[in-house]
Amino acid sequence: MIHNRPAGIRGSLRAALPLPFALSIRLPPALPLTLPLALSLAGLLLAGCGDPGDLRGAGATSTAVGPTRLWPEVPPAASPAVDYGEADTETVKGVTTPGDDIREADPVAVFRAEIAAHPGLYTGKGRYAETARQVAECGGKSARGRTCPVLRAYYRDLTGDGRDDMVLGVRMPGDQLGVRTYTVIGHRLTEVMATTDSTLGVEIAGRDVIIRSPSKLPGYEYRTVWSWDRRQKAMLAAKDEILRVGATDPSPGRTPAPSAGASGEDGDAR
């Protein structure tokens, strides 16, 4: 339904001039009023009034163009070239959540369980062995040392089940940040997202976890939106994009660090 604006002064004139046969205007006695003259006067009065309520065309619209498929002779791939583990989940062993309340779980204990489950990454010459050594400086749930790499946990309902989930950050070697998300599935604490990258910031918007990472292109950044997928029962990278965020001129002597997972070659799912 189209709702026009009021006709404004035009409505007032119509009320004052009941056309065509009931026109009554006071004129000097020397000028007799005839029907043609009355109609001419009414036309002059109405001609100078705009009509803000009229519908006006917006001009010609561009023709919609559908996508064009390129190289249709190439058969579609049956499987991905690289398994990024984007839907991998993992039950956290040794950590309980009484009453399915994830806030009862100690974040430090949760990350220590990850270290125990992946000795190849956290012991000896493992990629994150330094982080594992620093975790030894972490105290209990409310007493952490300054060098403890486990950051404050944040809680938000990310799965839509009405219960809080946990987002945990861990400082990793090379100025990287590990971001982990946990929920309770079948009365068990479950890791449903794990990624490590150079980051500009991490945000929670609604039920999404948004990770911003630097780009080699001045004035641009990578932005990955992780969202809960009910079928996979995991947080998936639902949107991965590069965005222009500022001036294109780089700061003198400053080169942003590349995103580890930006090129798709050295990305790490943990």
Side-chain angles (χ1 to χ4, degrees):
M1 180 182 295
I2 299 176
H3 299 277
N4 292 333
R5 291 177 294 175
I9 192 171
R10 184 181 65 175
S12 302
L13 287 174
R14 281 181 173 173
L17 303 176
L19 299 177
F21 300 108
L23 180 65
S24 176
I25 298 180
R26 293 187 178 183
L27 296 174
L31 182 63
L33 180 65
T34 63
L35 180 58
L37 178 60
L39 294 177
S40 298
L41 289 173
L44 290 174
L45 290 174
L46 293 176
C49 301
D51 186 2
D54 287 348
L55 295 176
R56 297 182 179 180
T61 57
S62 58
T63 304
V65 179
T68 300
R69 183 182 177 186
L70 307 183
W71 308 296
E73 67 276 12
V74 177
S79 61
V82 179
D83 182 9
Y84 294 101
E86 61 268 22
D88 290 350
T89 61
E90 185 174 279
T91 300
V92 180
K93 297 180 180 180
V95 181
T96 60
T97 53
D100 289 348
D101 185 0
I102 203 167
R103 290 176 178 265
E104 294 295 324
D106 179 5
V108 174
V110 171
F111 188 69
R112 282 175 173 158
E114 176 177 319
I115 295 175
H118 301 276
L121 291 174
Y122 292 99
T123 61
K125 296 183 179 180
R127 187 181 304 175
Y128 306 129
E130 179 184 348
T131 300
R133 289 190 293 268
Q134 292 174 344
V135 170
E137 301 295 328
C138 300
K141 186 174 183 180
S142 59
R144 302 181 192 176
R146 290 185 176 181
T147 59
C148 178
V150 180
L151 304 177
R152 169 190 173 187
Y154 288 87
Y155 301 90
R156 186 75 62 87
D157 178 13
L158 301 175
T159 63
D161 62 358
R163 294 179 177 270
D164 280 338
D165 304 302
M166 179 195 297
V167 180
L168 187 61
V170 182
R171 288 192 295 264
M172 295 294 195
D175 294 327
Q176 293 189 326
L177 180 68
V179 181
R180 310 288 188 261
T181 301
Y182 303 89
T183 189
V184 177
I185 300 177
H187 308 295
R188 295 181 178 181
L189 183 63
T190 305
E191 181 188 80
V192 293
M193 168 193 158
T195 184
T196 301
D197 200 354
S198 300
T199 61
L200 295 171
V202 181
E203 306 166 359
I204 296 178
R207 294 177 181 169
D208 297 333
V209 176
I210 303 173
I211 300 178
R212 297 167 45 238
S213 302
S215 166
K216 285 186 176 181
L217 301 177
Y220 289 80
E221 69 179 36
Y222 292 99
R223 191 171 301 177
T224 306
V225 180
W226 294 82
S227 305
W228 174 254
D229 187 276
R230 291 184 296 175
R231 293 185 178 181
Q232 298 296 327
K233 294 187 181 300
M235 298 285 289
L236 302 184
K239 182 183 293 185
D240 195 5
E241 56 188 351
I242 182 170
L243 300 175
R244 182 176 178 180
V245 294
T248 57
D249 294 333
S251 300
R254 182 179 178 182
T255 302
S259 171
S263 64
E265 297 176 358
D266 299 324
D268 182 24
R270 182 161 296 282

